[in-house]
Amino acid sequence: MNNFDGDRKLEMDEILNFMYKITNTRPITRNDVYAVLKFYNLKNDDRVKDKFGREVFDGIDNEGFFKYWENRFASKKHIHAYVDPRWTYFFQFTNNISHSTERFIKLYVALDSKHLYDGANLLFDFLERNNISHLSKISKKLRVDNVIIRLNYDDFESAKKIIDFINKTPFLKAGLNKPNPFIPTINGIGYMQEHGNSYNSDISDFIKEYLNVARRRGQESVSAEEFRTFLQECQKNNITYVPDQIDFDDSLMNTFEIAYTGKNKNLNANNISRLNNEQKRSLLINALRATFSKYGINQVRTALIQIIKFNNYGFVTNGGPNNRYRENLKKYLTPEDIMDIINIVNKAKNDMKFLTVEDKINAFCMELFRNELPFILDDICGVTLENYGASQVSMALNEYMRTGSGRYFSRFKNGDQSINYRDKLRMFDRTSFMKVVFDSLTNKGIEAKNIPYQELFHVYADAIAKEKIIVQER
């Protein structure tokens, strides 16, 4: 590491307190924060001066280079250099990556004004010669994130090549500005994995909120340690301050932690993309719960069989852009990893020996969802109970167990067609259906093993009817 690397806690303290003091007469905005992150570490020659010669929080203009880059790279085979008329703030260099790509390795190469033009030529000549796939841009204002290179999310080899090239090229090395302290660095180059968002923009929203909370409390100062705790609480309680973002983005916390501690930045080992056993197990369980919630237990079984036998992750729900369960399972867990987790759970919960993979998966799924399935069955039967009474519930259960048909179950509750309760039967496998009924009766304090089979569904129907009466009386 050079003097750009290591933990950046003290730098974070400095910049947070700088922001806190310059806005002591009003609430701070995300634009205030973002401006400081972009321009705080600029060299004096790269800052704009006002008419009195005072430095302004802005970088000097370098838009004049755009036309020269466009002409210089026009004849190059493996690069496209241009200004998009719909996005004129940036000059773009691209090769073989679509703008619709959502996940990247992002490198920040912060070049000062004296080294920007020739430095960009050296850098993008290197990418062109090596036919590296990338989606890159240079801002028209000098910033500490003015040159950004995006690579494919798993292209660690190219990231290492670029970082090594910069560090072995004295002209580029001499021209580096220091990225803002919230960005992890490897040998002076900002480095992170992201999913198409702007980390600087997103972290600005959280910094803004943290500083305003501190102001309302009347604090004299702020700190990186306190901000870290603030972020951890947001993650724990799934709180986000980023507009149009529903859930807290775990990747933001991961990136911040790397910058804060200075750890886990070894490209050779790809440490950033590894999970420990507990994290793997948590990812698998969350992915399967999301799949269960959306498609039912049979889909979960199918998904596991497809992964383990055919290396096919396509039956797991992705869970939206903030979860990416399918993508992350494929990236972090091999079929062998998943089979190991299944075996560990089965060994802990069952004394049985299983002959087939399918048997192991069935036992694992029943164990995983045993606490949820009885309540889902109660909800399904409760709608039929409200509409037609306990005898209809008993008949519906018998029919489903006998033929697999749910025709005697009600579809909708009180005319609300947003949830089809009959369709929720797909969550159950008929071979394990009786176990769910037994578990539900056990939850209600009824010892089911002594009930004759032919009476079991009558007892269950009466039990949920009595529960409903108790609830209504309350």
Side-chain angles (χ1 to χ4, degrees), residues 42-49 55:
L42 284 181
K43 298 170 183 175
N44 290 339
D45 290 344
D46 294 342
R47 295 179 182 275
V48 172
K49 309 291 192 300
E55 292 180 357

Side-chain angles (χ1 to χ4, degrees), residues 429-466:
D429 183 339
R430 284 170 59 206
T431 60
S432 55
F433 185 68
M434 291 297 292
K435 184 174 184 346
V436 178
V437 176
F438 271 70
D439 287 342
S440 180
L441 287 170
T442 300
N443 291 342
K444 297 169 178 47
I446 299 171
E447 184 54 71
K449 67 181 181 181
N450 297 323
I451 301 172
Y453 174 80
Q454 61 270 26
E455 297 180 18
L456 187 66
F457 295 137
H458 292 294
V459 173
Y460 172 77
D462 288 342
I464 63 170
K466 289 177 181 176

